[in-house]
């Protein structure tokens, strides 16, 4: 199955690459805004904004790069057709970061709905009758550890925040 490739170093994979909309105000420089939907990974440059729409049972992972840009991922509990599963999305983020320095990693969303193991084995990958781990309480420390390990970053750079339902905007 062929996947769309980015036309430039921005946009998101694997779906179609759409350039971010530019919405300049009167007398102000244009700022790029990139929407990252469930199962997608994207990137913006310094001073640009990421928006994660409709974060209900999802987690978002925003990597703040030393140079000022951001790499973001919208991890879904269940795979959206044609997009990344939860057990693949962090590897794509790590690949996107490459050798660039990381200042901080922010994990936000439905922390209580996520078992840390969902980043290692997606819910839909369990065979019929196989026991799927279910969180009994929020595990922010476990999520931070798994994300830090997957990205090859120190645990101290990762913060986890439980946010109510809605859109998330990261400036």
């Amino acid at each position: 199955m062929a996947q769309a490739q980015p036309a430039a170093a921005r946009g998101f994979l694997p779906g179609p690459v759409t350039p971010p909309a530019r919405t300049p105000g009167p007398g102000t420089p244009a700022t790029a805004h990139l929407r990252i939907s469930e199962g997608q990974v994207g990137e913006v440059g310094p001073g640009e904004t990421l928006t994660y729409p409709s974060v209900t049972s999802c987690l978002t992972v925003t990597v703040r790069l030393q140079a000022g840009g951001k790499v973001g991922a919208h991890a879904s509990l269940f795979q959206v057709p044609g997009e990344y599963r939860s057990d693949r999305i962090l590897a794509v983020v790590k690949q996107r970061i490459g050798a660039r320095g990381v200042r901080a990693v922010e994990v936000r969303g439905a922390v209580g709905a996520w078992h840390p193991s969902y980043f290692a084995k997606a819910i839909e990958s369990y065979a019929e009758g196989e026991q799927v781990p279910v969180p009994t309480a929020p595990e922010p420390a476990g999520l931070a550890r798994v994300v830090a390990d997957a990205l090859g970053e120190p645990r101290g750079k990762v913060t986890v925040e439980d946010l109510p339902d809605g859109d998330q905007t990261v400036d």
Side-chain angles (χ1 to χ4, degrees):
M1 180 164 117
Q3 293 183 347
Q5 296 299 315
R10 62 179 337 118
F12 50 82
L13 295 173
V17 175
T18 306
R22 297 217 176 245
T23 54
T28 61
T31 302
H33 301 274
L34 179 64
R35 287 176 63 91
I36 302 177
S37 296
E38 291 181 38
Q40 296 178 340
V41 172
E43 179 174 357
V44 294
E48 298 176 340
T49 301
L50 293 175
T51 299
Y52 304 99
S54 305
V55 179
T56 55
S57 61
C58 303
L59 285 180
T60 64
V61 178
T62 303
V63 178
R64 292 184 182 270
L65 302 170
Q66 291 289 357
K70 293 178 276 299
V71 174
H74 191 151
S76 179
L77 276 177
F78 298 96
Q79 183 181 17
V80 172
E83 306 296 355
Y84 293 111
R85 286 186 350 183
S86 63
D87 57 1
R88 176 76 180 108
I89 204 160
L90 292 177
V92 175
V93 171
K94 182 177 174 71
Q95 179 182 27
R96 192 68 173 261
I97 294 167
R100 296 179 287 176
V102 171
R103 187 167 36 101
V105 180
E106 300 162 359
V107 179
R108 297 181 179 150
V111 172
W114 279 74
H115 191 278
S117 68
Y118 296 164
F119 281 119
K121 186 172 183 178
I123 291 174
E124 59 269 89
S125 67
Y126 286 85
E128 188 174 329
E130 195 176 0
Q131 185 67 36
V132 178
V134 177
T136 56
E139 294 187 52
L143 289 168
R145 178 184 40 77
V146 168
V147 170
D149 290 350
L151 299 180
E153 295 296 329
R155 166 58 188 95
K157 286 189 178 180
V158 181
T159 58
V160 177
E161 183 180 2
D162 190 27
L163 287 180
D165 295 348
D167 293 352
Q168 291 180 20
T169 300
V170 181
D171 293 316

Coordinates of all heavy atoms in Angstrom, one line a residue, residues 59-63 73 75 86 89-91 93-94 97 102 104-108 114-117 119-120 139-155 157-160:
L59 N -4.6 11.0 23.0 CA -3.4 11.7 23.7 C -2.7 12.5 22.5 O -2.6 12.0 21.4 CB -2.4 10.8 24.3 CG -2.8 10.1 25.6 CD1 -1.7 9.2 26.1 CD2 -3.2 11.1 26.7
T60 N -2.2 13.7 22.9 CA -1.4 14.4 21.9 C 0.1 14.4 22.5 O 0.3 14.4 23.7 CB -1.9 15.8 21.7 OG1 -1.8 16.5 22.9 CG2 -3.3 15.8 21.2
V61 N 1.0 14.4 21.6 CA 2.4 14.4 22.0 C 3.0 15.6 21.2 O 3.0 15.5 19.9 CB 3.2 13.1 21.7 CG1 4.6 13.2 22.0 CG2 2.5 11.9 22.4
T62 N 3.5 16.6 21.9 CA 4.1 17.7 21.2 C 5.6 17.8 21.7 O 5.9 17.9 22.8 CB 3.4 19.0 21.6 OG1 2.0 19.0 21.3 CG2 4.1 20.2 20.9
V63 N 6.5 17.7 20.7 CA 7.9 17.8 20.9 C 8.4 19.2 20.6 O 8.2 19.6 19.4 CB 8.7 16.7 20.1 CG1 10.2 16.9 20.3 CG2 8.2 15.3 20.4
A73 N 2.0 14.8 17.4 CA 1.3 13.6 17.1 C 0.0 13.5 17.8 O -0.1 13.9 19.0 CB 2.2 12.3 17.4
A75 N -2.4 10.8 18.9 CA -2.5 9.3 19.1 C -3.9 9.0 19.5 O -4.5 9.5 20.5 CB -1.5 8.9 20.2
S86 N -1.6 3.5 17.5 CA -0.9 4.0 18.7 C 0.5 3.4 18.9 O 1.4 4.0 19.4 CB -1.8 3.8 19.9 OG -2.0 2.5 20.2
I89 N 3.0 5.3 16.2 CA 3.1 6.8 16.1 C 4.3 7.4 16.7 O 4.9 8.3 16.2 CB 1.8 7.4 16.6 CG1 1.6 8.8 16.0 CG2 1.7 7.5 18.1 CD1 0.2 9.3 16.0
L90 N 4.8 6.9 17.9 CA 6.0 7.4 18.5 C 7.2 7.2 17.7 O 8.1 8.0 17.6 CB 6.1 6.9 19.9 CG 5.1 7.4 20.9 CD1 5.3 6.8 22.3 CD2 5.0 8.9 21.0
A91 N 7.3 6.1 17.0 CA 8.5 5.8 16.1 C 8.5 6.8 15.0 O 9.6 7.2 14.6 CB 8.4 4.3 15.6
V93 N 7.3 9.9 15.1 CA 7.7 11.1 15.8 C 9.3 11.1 15.9 O 9.9 12.1 15.6 CB 7.0 11.4 17.1 CG1 7.7 12.5 17.9 CG2 5.6 11.6 16.9
K94 N 9.8 10.0 16.4 CA 11.3 9.9 16.6 C 12.0 10.1 15.3 O 13.0 10.8 15.2 CB 11.6 8.6 17.3 CG 13.1 8.5 17.5 CD 13.4 7.2 18.3 CE 14.9 7.0 18.4 NZ 15.6 7.8 19.4
I97 N 11.9 13.8 14.2 CA 12.8 14.6 15.0 C 14.3 14.4 14.5 O 15.0 15.4 14.4 CB 12.8 14.2 16.5 CG1 11.5 14.5 17.1 CG2 13.9 14.9 17.3 CD1 11.2 13.9 18.5
V102 N 16.0 18.2 21.4 CA 14.7 18.4 22.0 C 14.7 19.2 23.3 O 15.5 18.8 24.1 CB 14.1 17.0 22.2 CG1 12.8 17.0 23.0 CG2 13.9 16.2 20.9
A104 N 11.7 19.9 25.1 CA 10.6 19.4 26.0 C 9.7 18.6 25.2 O 9.5 18.7 24.0 CB 9.9 20.5 26.7
V105 N 9.0 17.7 25.9 CA 7.9 16.8 25.3 C 6.7 17.0 26.2 O 6.8 16.7 27.4 CB 8.4 15.3 25.2 CG1 7.2 14.5 24.6 CG2 9.7 15.2 24.4
E106 N 5.6 17.3 25.6 CA 4.3 17.5 26.3 C 3.3 16.5 25.8 O 2.9 16.5 24.7 CB 3.8 19.0 26.1 CG 4.8 20.0 26.5 CD 4.5 21.4 25.9 OE1 3.5 21.5 25.1 OE2 5.2 22.3 26.2
V107 N 2.8 15.7 26.8 CA 1.8 14.7 26.5 C 0.5 15.2 27.2 O 0.5 15.5 28.4 CB 2.1 13.3 27.1 CG1 1.0 12.3 26.8 CG2 3.5 12.9 26.5
R108 N -0.6 15.4 26.4 CA -1.8 15.9 26.9 C -3.0 15.1 26.4 O -3.0 14.6 25.3 CB -2.0 17.4 26.5 CG -0.9 18.3 27.1 CD -1.2 19.7 26.6 NE -0.2 20.6 27.2 CZ 0.2 21.7 26.6 NH1 -0.3 22.1 25.5 NH2 1.1 22.4 27.2
W114 N -5.8 5.9 28.9 CA -4.7 5.2 28.2 C -3.9 4.4 29.2 O -3.4 4.9 30.2 CB -3.8 6.3 27.6 CG -4.3 6.8 26.3 CD1 -5.3 7.6 26.1 CD2 -3.7 6.5 25.1 NE1 -5.5 7.8 24.8 CE2 -4.5 7.1 24.1 CE3 -2.7 5.7 24.6 CZ2 -4.3 7.0 22.7 CZ3 -2.4 5.6 23.3 CH2 -3.2 6.2 22.4
H115 N -3.6 3.2 28.8 CA -2.7 2.3 29.5 C -1.3 2.5 28.8 O -1.3 2.6 27.6 CB -3.1 0.8 29.4 CG -2.3 -0.1 30.3 ND1 -1.1 -0.5 29.9 CD2 -2.6 -0.6 31.5 CE1 -0.6 -1.3 30.9 NE2 -1.5 -1.3 31.9
P116 N -0.2 2.7 29.5 CA 1.0 3.0 28.9 C 1.4 2.0 27.8 O 2.0 2.3 26.8 CB 2.0 2.9 30.0 CG 1.2 3.3 31.2 CD -0.1 2.7 31.0
S117 N 0.9 0.7 27.9 CA 1.3 -0.3 26.9 C 0.6 -0.1 25.6 O 1.1 -0.7 24.6 CB 0.9 -1.7 27.5 OG -0.5 -1.8 27.5
F119 N 1.1 2.2 23.6 CA 2.1 2.7 22.7 C 3.0 1.6 22.2 O 3.7 1.8 21.3 CB 3.0 3.8 23.4 CG 2.3 5.2 23.4 CD1 2.0 5.8 24.6 CD2 1.9 5.8 22.2 CE1 1.4 7.1 24.7 CE2 1.3 7.1 22.3 CZ 1.1 7.7 23.5
A120 N 3.0 0.5 22.9 CA 3.8 -0.7 22.5 C 3.0 -1.7 21.7 O 3.5 -2.4 20.8 CB 4.4 -1.4 23.7
E139 N -2.3 6.9 34.7 CA -0.8 6.6 35.0 C 0.1 7.6 34.3 O 0.8 7.2 33.3 CB -0.6 5.2 34.4 CG -1.3 4.0 35.1 CD -0.8 2.7 34.7 OE1 0.4 2.4 34.7 OE2 -1.7 1.9 34.3
P140 N 0.1 8.8 34.7 CA 0.9 9.8 34.0 C 2.4 9.4 34.1 O 3.1 9.6 33.1 CB 0.6 11.1 34.8 CG 0.0 10.7 36.0 CD -0.7 9.4 35.8
A141 N 2.9 8.9 35.2 CA 4.3 8.5 35.2 C 4.7 7.4 34.2 O 5.7 7.4 33.6 CB 4.7 8.1 36.7
G142 N 3.8 6.4 34.1 CA 4.0 5.4 33.1 C 3.9 5.9 31.7 O 4.8 5.5 30.9
L143 N 3.0 6.8 31.4 CA 2.9 7.4 30.1 C 4.2 8.2 29.8 O 4.8 8.1 28.7 CB 1.7 8.2 29.9 CG 0.4 7.5 29.9 CD1 -0.8 8.5 30.0 CD2 0.2 6.7 28.6
A144 N 4.7 9.0 30.7 CA 5.9 9.7 30.6 C 7.1 8.8 30.3 O 7.9 9.1 29.4 CB 6.1 10.6 31.8
R145 N 7.2 7.8 31.0 CA 8.3 6.8 30.9 C 8.3 6.2 29.5 O 9.3 6.2 28.8 CB 8.3 5.7 31.9 CG 9.4 4.7 31.8 CD 9.2 3.6 32.8 NE 7.9 3.1 33.1 CZ 7.2 2.3 32.2 NH1 7.7 1.9 31.1 NH2 6.0 1.9 32.5
V146 N 7.2 5.7 29.0 CA 7.0 5.1 27.7 C 7.4 6.1 26.6 O 8.1 5.7 25.7 CB 5.6 4.5 27.5 CG1 5.4 4.1 26.1 CG2 5.5 3.3 28.5
V147 N 6.8 7.3 26.7 CA 7.1 8.3 25.7 C 8.6 8.7 25.7 O 9.2 8.7 24.6 CB 6.2 9.5 25.9 CG1 6.6 10.7 25.0 CG2 4.7 9.1 25.6
A148 N 9.2 8.9 26.8 CA 10.6 9.2 26.9 C 11.4 8.1 26.3 O 12.3 8.4 25.5 CB 11.0 9.5 28.4
D149 N 11.2 6.9 26.7 CA 11.9 5.8 26.2 C 11.8 5.7 24.6 O 12.8 5.5 23.9 CB 11.5 4.5 26.8 CG 11.9 4.4 28.3 OD1 12.7 5.2 28.8 OD2 11.4 3.4 29.0
A150 N 10.6 5.8 24.1 CA 10.3 5.7 22.7 C 11.0 6.7 21.9 O 11.5 6.5 20.8 CB 8.8 5.7 22.4
L151 N 11.1 7.9 22.5 CA 11.8 9.1 21.8 C 13.3 9.2 22.1 O 13.9 10.0 21.5 CB 11.1 10.4 22.1 CG 9.6 10.5 21.7 CD1 9.0 11.8 22.1 CD2 9.4 10.2 20.3
G152 N 13.8 8.3 23.0 CA 15.2 8.4 23.4 C 15.5 9.7 24.1 O 16.6 10.2 24.0
E153 N 14.6 10.2 24.9 CA 14.8 11.4 25.6 C 14.8 11.1 27.1 O 14.2 10.2 27.6 CB 13.7 12.4 25.3 CG 13.7 12.9 23.9 CD 15.0 13.7 23.5 OE1 15.6 14.3 24.4 OE2 15.4 13.6 22.4
P154 N 15.5 11.9 27.9 CA 15.4 11.8 29.4 C 14.0 11.9 29.9 O 13.2 12.8 29.4 CB 16.3 12.9 30.0 CG 17.1 13.4 28.8 CD 16.3 13.1 27.6
R155 N 13.6 11.2 30.9 CA 12.3 11.2 31.5 C 11.9 12.7 32.0 O 10.8 13.1 31.9 CB 12.2 10.2 32.6 CG 11.1 10.3 33.6 CD 9.7 10.2 33.0 NE 8.7 10.5 33.9 CZ 8.1 11.7 34.1 NH1 8.5 12.7 33.4 NH2 7.1 11.8 34.9
K157 N 12.4 15.5 30.6 CA 11.9 16.4 29.6 C 10.4 16.2 29.3 O 9.8 17.0 28.5 CB 12.7 16.1 28.3 CG 14.1 16.7 28.3 CD 14.8 16.6 27.0 CE 16.1 17.2 27.0 NZ 16.8 17.2 25.7
V158 N 9.8 15.1 29.8 CA 8.4 14.8 29.4 C 7.5 15.1 30.5 O 7.6 14.7 31.7 CB 8.3 13.2 29.1 CG1 6.9 12.9 28.7 CG2 9.3 12.8 28.0
T159 N 6.4 15.9 30.2 CA 5.4 16.2 31.1 C 4.1 15.6 30.6 O 3.9 15.5 29.4 CB 5.2 17.8 31.3 OG1 4.9 18.3 30.0 CG2 6.4 18.4 31.9
V160 N 3.2 15.3 31.5 CA 1.9 14.7 31.2 C 0.8 15.5 31.8 O 0.9 15.7 33.1 CB 1.8 13.2 31.6 CG1 0.5 12.6 31.3 CG2 2.9 12.4 30.9

